[in-house]
Amino acid sequence: GGETLREVAIRALVSIPGRDAEKFAVLNRLIASGEFQPAAINALRQLSADSWNVADIKPLVNNIIGYLSTLPINQRTSASANNAMEMARKLGLKLSALDQANIEKRLKNLDVRVIAIGTIPHRMIYDKEIIVVEAGKPVEFRFSNTDSMPHNFAVTQPGALAEVGELAESTGRDADAMARHYIPDSSKVLIGSRLLQPGEEQAISFIVPTEPGVYPYVCTYPGHWRRMYGALYVVPKFSNYVTAQSEYLDQLDLEVKDALLQTSSRGQEWKYEDIIGDLDMLMGRSHEVGQASFRAANCIACHQFDGQGQNFGPDLSKLSDEKRTASHILRSILEPSKDIDEKFASNIFLMDTGKTITGMIMEETDDVVKIVVDPLAKDQITVINQDEIDARKRAKQSQMPAGMMDKLSREEIIDLIAYVLSNADPKHKMFEGGHKHKAQH
């Protein structure tokens, strides 16, 4: 078949010179998400080895081997499979001789499907929200922890996520907690990993249950289960999933028995109404996750806060008392055009050529207006001549994009609001008794 637009875009991304480290990060994420893997692996081959982030190499190799293990036997000699094998070996050159030998052995033995599961640093989430496996088949989970705090990985019976999470929490200080890697002692836990410290990985063999359904996977380290989880879809035929993906899952219509999995989604378009009811949960928040979410949502591109950031929107550390409320902050984030600060409003200029230009005024003289059209490309100043302007008006749309929160989970948004409300102060009472990340001995 022809290339999809996304595949063309991936090719185009690599043809732009420079910024290889950023390209590596983007391609690494695409390969982890399981989308457009052949195109992304092919693009990766064109980046210089200096741009690779060494901490990401093991999980990346796991994802590449995972991709290869899903290919039918007759496709394992195709050009894209060969590219993937070559890339796995090349990445291995940055690892120890033992790791390289291990990669070689795994490339020769691709009969069991490999599923790589990683962590996203500082956000206390796995890098996959959904994993699809075939009922009754053996698989190998390759769990790697690139985060700065410990995590484990457990699969539970459908409907048991909250029960197992609560049990993990109530037994987290028991004498044997460390020895059982904080996996609670429950018949509803089907499999559990070790507690992996930062930089560790583990291979876990698993025979998938024969009963199709939606099985939660979760980190049961104390304080993590409410946000660090995903859905293992056990389906009758994996090959049907490969060809039809979401249509096949819709057709199967498997019951989602866990409340958290029903609302889970990092691709959700959050509305003010979705979250305002949760703002009574502003105690015991995580400063670290709030800070990471603030970064993940790229707030700093336009706002000054905690000593850094740009000046395209109000300075968040200087909010007035009536604006420093949880509901005002939530409303400003999710409905940025509701109440725009005069000083940061966008203006629309109708030029005598009939063209319109929209941007924020940085400076104005009798002769010219200097505006920034895209605050994210902050160094690009557009200069327009006063005598070429036919008309101008204030824009009703904020410069701040909507959807900044759509990559975050509900819990992360609440942590982010606490972070802004507290003025980034880790000692603020909202963070007391928050998710503690020190291993308890």
Side-chain angles (χ1 to χ4, degrees):
E3 278 188 303
T4 66
L5 195 59
R6 291 285 294 274
E7 287 165 334
V8 175
I10 293 167
R11 269 222 331 268
L13 169 80
V14 190
S15 65
I16 307 163
R19 307 189 57 173
D20 277 7
E22 285 170 59
K23 291 182 207 163
F24 177 84
V26 171
L27 294 170
N28 182 24
R29 273 205 303 278
L30 267 179
I31 294 166
S33 74
E35 296 183 302
F36 308 102
Q37 285 166 312
I41 291 168
N42 204 20
L44 198 60
R45 293 166 66 224
Q46 293 158 61
L47 299 184
S48 76
D50 310 336
S51 67
W52 303 343
N53 179 2
V54 178
D56 290 332
I57 287 181
K58 273 193 185 175
L60 178 55
V61 170
N62 292 340
N63 277 309
I64 293 174
I65 292 176
Y67 153 72
L68 285 163
S69 72
T70 62
L71 295 177
I73 307 288
N74 60 355
Q75 285 175 30
R76 289 193 187 155
T77 49
S78 67
S80 56
N82 285 332
N83 287 345
M85 290 187 185
E86 180 200 333
M87 194 63 223
R89 292 187 174 108
K90 225 163 114 181
L91 287 159
L93 296 175
K94 294 253 182 189
L95 303 173
S96 69
L98 189 68
D99 285 330
Q100 286 175 43
N102 182 11
I103 291 171
E104 208 45 61
K105 196 166 88 202
R106 292 170 65 200
L107 288 173
K108 286 199 173 59
N109 175 25
L110 285 169
D111 304 340
V112 172
R113 182 164 161 228
V114 176
I115 296 153
I117 179 106
T119 58
I120 297 183
H122 314 303
R123 285 180 58 193
M124 213 196 291
I125 51 180
Y126 293 115
D127 64 356
K128 293 181 176 56
E129 280 184 283
I130 288 184
I131 297 173
V132 180
V133 290
E134 183 165 329
K137 283 271 162 72
V139 295
E140 178 185 283
F141 290 115
R142 275 274 163 165
F143 175 40
S144 53
N145 183 15
T146 53
D147 198 2
S148 54
M149 53 179 101
H151 296 296
N152 64 25
F153 170 80
V155 178
T156 80
Q157 290 285 4
L161 175 56
E163 182 188 327
V164 167
E166 303 277 4
L167 183 63
E169 221 135 72
S170 62
T171 59
R173 293 185 180 280
D174 293 2
D176 67 340
M178 242 349 234
R180 57 178 165 78
H181 298 278
Y182 294 94
I183 304 274
D185 191 4
S186 159
S187 59
K188 295 189 178 170
V189 174
L190 303 179
I191 187 171
S193 73
R194 297 196 312 268
L195 183 71
L196 297 194
Q197 296 302 328
E200 294 185 335
E201 74 166 351
Q202 183 186 0
I204 307 149
S205 299
F206 183 55
I207 309 282
V208 177
T210 50
E211 186 61 42
V214 183
Y215 293 71
Y217 53 89
V218 58
C219 172
T220 60
Y221 189 68
H224 292 197
W225 72 272
R226 280 187 181 79
R227 65 187 312 129
M228 192 159 178
Y229 54 77
L232 185 71
Y233 278 75
V234 173
V235 303
K237 275 201 85 58
F238 183 68
S239 55
N240 290 7
Y241 172 71
V242 173
T243 45
Q245 306 249 329
S246 54
E247 286 98 47
Y248 179 57
L249 294 184
D250 290 347
Q251 227 176 318
L252 287 174
D253 198 21
L254 299 169
E255 187 193 348
V256 181
K257 295 183 177 173
D258 294 270
L260 274 178
L261 297 185
Q262 289 163 9
T263 57
S264 142
S265 167
R266 294 179 216 148
Q268 177 156 351
E269 289 183 35
W270 292 106
K271 305 268 182 290
Y272 179 77
E273 294 67 44
D274 294 336
I275 297 198
I276 186 66
D278 296 327
L279 291 184
D280 49 1
M281 301 180 359
L282 275 166
M283 299 312 284
R285 303 315 307 176
S286 163
H287 178 269
E288 186 178 17
V289 173
Q291 187 177 44
S293 304
F294 190 83
R295 272 192 231 118
N298 202 12
C299 307
I300 244 149
C302 299
H303 292 279
Q304 295 196 314
F305 191 56
D306 198 20
Q308 44 184 336
Q310 299 298 328
N311 201 8
F312 291 110
D315 182 332
L316 300 180
S317 52
K318 298 197 172 86
L319 294 178
S320 63
D321 285 350
E322 74 265 17
K323 290 192 172 175
R324 189 177 292 285
T325 67
S327 59
H328 181 86
I329 292 168
L330 178 67
R331 174 91 65 199
S332 309
I333 293 173
L334 295 180
E335 301 176 8
S337 300
K338 198 76 166 189
D339 169 23
I340 304 171
D341 187 322
E342 218 28 66
K343 195 165 112 215
F344 298 105
S346 230
N347 284 269
I348 302 169
F349 299 91
L350 176 64
M351 309 305 290
D352 56 13
T353 57
K355 205 169 110 172
T356 59
I357 301 177
T358 305
M360 190 171 122
I361 299 174
M362 303 307 279
E363 192 186 327
E364 181 164 7
T365 67
D366 291 344
D367 302 322
V368 296
V369 186
K370 294 185 179 176
I371 63 168
V372 169
V373 176
D374 173 10
L376 298 179
K378 49 193 168 295
D379 36 6
Q380 305 293 319
I381 299 272
T382 303
V383 180
I384 47 187
N385 294 325
Q386 292 277 18
D387 53 16
E388 289 169 14
I389 299 172
D390 272 0
R392 67 163 80 184
K393 63 172 188 189
R394 282 252 336 246
K396 291 198 170 46
Q397 282 295 317
S398 164
Q399 290 269 91
M400 174 166 160
M404 298 298 269
M405 298 297 113
D406 294 353
K407 287 197 178 63
L408 302 181
S409 69
R410 182 183 300 269
E411 297 283 328
E412 289 178 301
I413 295 172
I414 300 167
D415 285 344
L416 179 136
I417 289 170
Y419 178 69
V420 175
L421 266 181
S422 72
N423 232 339
D425 172 13
K427 296 195 172 62
H428 193 282
K429 66 175 187 303
M430 284 183 288
F431 302 123
E432 277 169 26
H435 323 303
K436 292 278 187 284
H437 301 312
K438 305 284 171 278
Q440 295 133 351
H441 295 295

